[in-house]
Amino acid sequence: MPRLLGVDIPNDKRTVVSLTYLYGVGPHTARELCLKAGINQDKLAREINDEELARLSGLMETDYTVEGPLRRQVGQNIARLREIKCYRGIRHRVGLPVRGQRTKTNARTRKGPRKTVAGKKGVKDLR
């Protein structure tokens, strides 16, 4: 398995698809990287030699923010929003959807599993 920026990319996939396994590299960026590095996009990842790997990693370190630095940057951005207590920061802190989605239904991913609250006594129970 070729290793780029501390991440093993899959052997049996095309180079363009393998590069998308890196955090911050999508299909468009992967195609750009292959063009700039002069690597055939249809070549399998295991067929990439050390020189081409070095070119790819050099390009990613200089021209793109990927993996560790990108994760750190995203974390710092969220921490800043929390710190200044803006609307988005409060939503991050409380664990609710940040981008205006509804929460009456369909927010289970952010809110987590349902927490059942004990039901109120009905009218019949009061007699």
Side-chain angles (χ1 to χ4, degrees):
M1 279 190 166
R3 206 165 161 76
L4 274 172
L5 304 175
V7 176
D8 291 331
I9 59 175
N11 268 335
D12 301 328
K13 299 189 184 223
R14 294 172 41 228
T15 306
V16 179
V17 176
S18 292
L19 287 176
T20 61
Y21 279 68
L22 296 165
Y23 183 78
V25 178
H28 179 76
T29 310
R31 281 192 297 275
E32 270 184 7
L33 280 166
C34 285
L35 284 173
K36 287 182 181 178
I39 298 171
N40 182 6
Q41 298 177 9
D42 296 326
K43 190 188 253 189
L44 292 180
R46 75 164 81 95
E47 298 168 357
I48 298 175
N49 58 32
D50 294 334
E51 178 193 325
E52 292 170 332
L53 272 175
R55 271 188 291 178
L56 273 174
S57 62
L59 267 172
M60 281 191 270
E61 287 174 359
T62 57
D63 297 349
Y64 299 93
T65 308
V66 290
E67 276 304 321
L70 181 59
R71 290 180 199 269
R72 198 172 312 107
Q73 184 180 7
V74 169
Q76 287 172 346
N77 289 343
I78 292 172
R80 180 183 53 82
L81 291 172
R82 286 176 164 196
E83 189 178 308
I84 64 175
K85 294 187 176 129
C86 67
Y87 181 80
R88 282 174 54 205
I90 293 168
R91 303 293 282 186
H92 272 292
R93 183 173 289 174
V94 179
L96 292 171
V98 177
R99 297 183 177 178
Q101 296 92 334
R102 66 181 301 139
T103 55
K104 184 173 182 179
T105 59
N106 300 336
R108 290 273 62 107
T109 303
R110 281 294 291 191
K111 290 167 75 172
R114 287 189 171 88
K115 300 165 202 79
T116 306
V117 178
K120 296 179 182 176
K121 291 186 177 181
V123 178
K124 294 178 183 176
D125 296 333
L126 293 176
R127 292 183 191 170

